[in-house]
Amino acid sequence: MPDTDDDLIPAIGYIRVSTAREEMISPELQRTAIESWADRRRRRIVHWVVDLDATGRNFRRKIMKAIAYVEDGTAKEIAAWKYSRFGRQRHGNAVNLERLERAGGQLVSATEEVDARTAMGRFQRGMLLEVAAFESDRAGEQWKETHEWRRSNGLPSGGGRRFGYIWHPRKLPNLDGTFTIQRERYELDPVAAPAVVDMYQQYIDGLSGFDKLAKSLTASGFTTTRDGEWWGETVRLYMDSGFAAGYLRVHSKECQCEPYLTGCPNHVHLKVTDETVLPAIISEEVWVAYLEKRRIVRATPPRSRKPATPFSRLMRCDLCRGVLTKETVGKYSYARCNIRRRRGPDKCAGVRIPYPQLEARVLKWLKQVADDINDEAGKHPVGTAGVLVAGADDKRADALSQQIEKLE
């Protein structure tokens, strides 16, 4: 008599393919191996959890969902193709295995016959997980050497396309399946480079934030290097990297954070001196001005950066020096002492000025000092970004014309 579903032990099928397509083990092959194991061992796969392009060096991935299924009683086991699919980080493996077993669950391998309920089985599983961590460490050291070599030659560690540039990769595929080897380098894109200059200048001048710049890029027909839509955070990461100024953003060697975090504050900018490999789109002066603007923005509260009214945080009460805030009563608006409004008349007798009267007084004062402001402004030269591309407008026009002809 065949087993019913109630007779089979419920298990979670877990599949992981690493970012580098490690060992080129496809999700289909892993799934087939787990299903075959389930048939042999009288298990029932109640859920499949799939991590594609996920590294095993941390647990910021869907494996945590599989553990949660065991904790809530949905399943008794997590079945992976090999133990290495669970993780390649020693500390993470130990912590999450303890969490799994505390909930009464087990981690099993579909291709490694180990009974982790026995002392010998736990020892064998520990050795297999240690081998997985060793392989990860060895590969990591090789990648570090590769990244160091690339940076010493003025190239970003990850390579790939960058906005504002035309990327010339080291290997060019030929029609016959062979490759042509050339010097990897970046060349200024005559169409996108001027847009990068505008981005920095608008931010420095306070005309646009990252969200507004993202909308402007999308409206102009520009996409990210992955052909996606621009978002404010994407623009921020790109501009903060300093790549357009000829810099490489590198994680400090002194930092020992483990696992490595992309948002780790311990990053430095290395200047690329060989402009034949990475020419700068913006000047050094613009880059310094941008960093200063970013410093000021970080230190300024959001409400001060985007004031609700033209007088926000500029008005003070003569009696207590508290801030005057806008108060609307029906159709009328007033500037009122915030100390009086929040703490009562015992703290401050307070003032309340109608907004039309306040605006009229400020406008009258501005007319009195307008000439002095203009004279002072004339003493300071207006800064420009300075496109470091000879004849950028002409090149951009030619490139657009060629693109139109190609489309036609």
Side-chain angles (χ1 to χ4, degrees), residues 276-287:
T276 62
V277 176
L278 177 59
I281 297 177
I282 61 173
S283 64
E284 186 68 19
E285 292 75 18
V286 173
W287 173 242

Side-chain angles (χ1 to χ4, degrees), residues 20-39:
R21 297 281 294 178
E22 174 182 319
E23 301 174 18
M24 295 303 292
I25 301 302
S26 69
E28 294 78 14
L29 189 151
Q30 295 185 42
R31 187 184 186 105
T32 300
I34 294 173
E35 288 175 341
S36 176
W37 166 86
D39 291 338

Side-chain angles (χ1 to χ4, degrees), residues 121-403:
R122 284 191 294 272
F123 174 75
Q124 290 175 318
R125 184 186 65 185
M127 291 298 295
L128 291 171
L129 289 172
E130 178 61 29
V131 169
F134 163 73
E135 290 176 346
S136 178
D137 291 344
R138 178 178 53 80
E141 290 177 355
Q142 292 176 342
W143 276 115
K144 286 181 181 179
E145 293 174 357
T146 301
H147 292 168
E148 188 64 32
W149 179 89
R150 289 182 61 83
R151 285 193 290 265
S152 65
N153 284 271
L155 297 168
S157 59
R161 295 187 296 161
R162 295 293 190 279
F163 183 64
Y165 292 89
I166 299 173
W167 178 44
H168 297 276
R170 182 171 178 269
K171 295 173 64 176
L172 286 177
N174 300 319
L175 295 176
D176 59 359
T178 60
F179 290 91
T180 299
I181 304 299
Q182 63 176 0
R183 185 189 185 194
E184 184 176 350
R185 60 188 177 86
Y186 289 86
E187 178 185 321
L188 294 175
D189 186 338
V191 177
V196 175
V197 175
D198 293 339
M199 288 165 56
Y200 278 94
Q201 195 61 58
Q202 288 187 45
Y203 188 88
I204 293 170
D205 294 340
L207 301 177
S208 300
F210 296 125
D211 289 336
K212 189 174 180 180
L213 289 172
K215 292 178 181 177
S216 178
L217 285 171
T218 301
S220 300
F222 292 109
T223 61
T224 65
T225 53
R226 295 185 178 181
D227 298 323
E229 184 179 343
W230 284 96
W231 295 88
E233 182 66 9
T234 312
V235 174
R236 182 191 69 80
L237 291 173
Y238 171 77
M239 296 179 70
D240 283 353
S241 70
F243 196 84
Y247 283 91
L248 299 178
R249 187 172 180 268
V250 180
H251 189 229
S252 176
K253 294 181 179 179
E254 285 71 27
C255 182
Q256 299 298 322
C257 67
E258 181 62 34
Y260 165 72
L261 300 174
T262 304
C264 175
N266 297 318
H267 281 79
V268 295
H269 289 93
L270 300 180
K271 181 66 175 179
V272 177
T273 56
D274 190 351
E275 294 189 0
T276 62
V277 176
L278 177 59
I281 297 177
I282 61 173
S283 64
E284 186 68 19
E285 292 75 18
V286 173
W287 173 242
V288 173
Y290 171 77
L291 293 178
E292 177 63 17
K293 182 69 174 181
R294 289 284 287 136
R295 185 190 65 80
I296 295 173
V297 169
R298 288 192 188 98
T300 306
R303 288 295 298 271
S304 296
R305 283 185 262 146
K306 296 181 180 179
T309 72
F311 306 117
S312 293
R313 302 185 67 85
L314 296 178
M315 301 177 292
R316 295 283 179 177
C317 174
D318 276 342
L319 301 177
C320 68
R321 302 308 297 165
V323 176
L324 297 185
T325 58
K326 186 177 182 179
E327 179 185 51
T328 302
V329 180
K331 297 186 297 182
Y332 303 98
S333 296
Y334 302 89
R336 185 178 182 183
C337 175
N338 197 40
I339 299 296
R340 162 68 183 253
R341 183 177 66 84
R342 298 178 62 183
R343 300 186 181 181
D346 294 339
K347 295 296 182 180
C348 179
V351 295
R352 191 170 78 164
I353 307 172
Y355 242 71
Q357 181 180 344
L358 176 64
E359 291 172 345
R361 289 186 181 181
V362 173
L363 183 61
K364 181 179 178 180
W365 172 76
L366 284 174
K367 289 180 179 179
Q368 294 174 354
V369 299
D371 293 337
D372 295 336
I373 293 175
N374 291 332
D375 292 341
E376 184 65 24
K379 299 177 183 178
H380 302 278
V382 178
T384 58
V387 183
L388 301 183
V389 186
D393 292 338
D394 294 337
K395 289 185 177 180
R396 185 179 187 184
D398 292 341
L400 289 173
S401 298
Q402 293 175 8
Q403 189 173 359

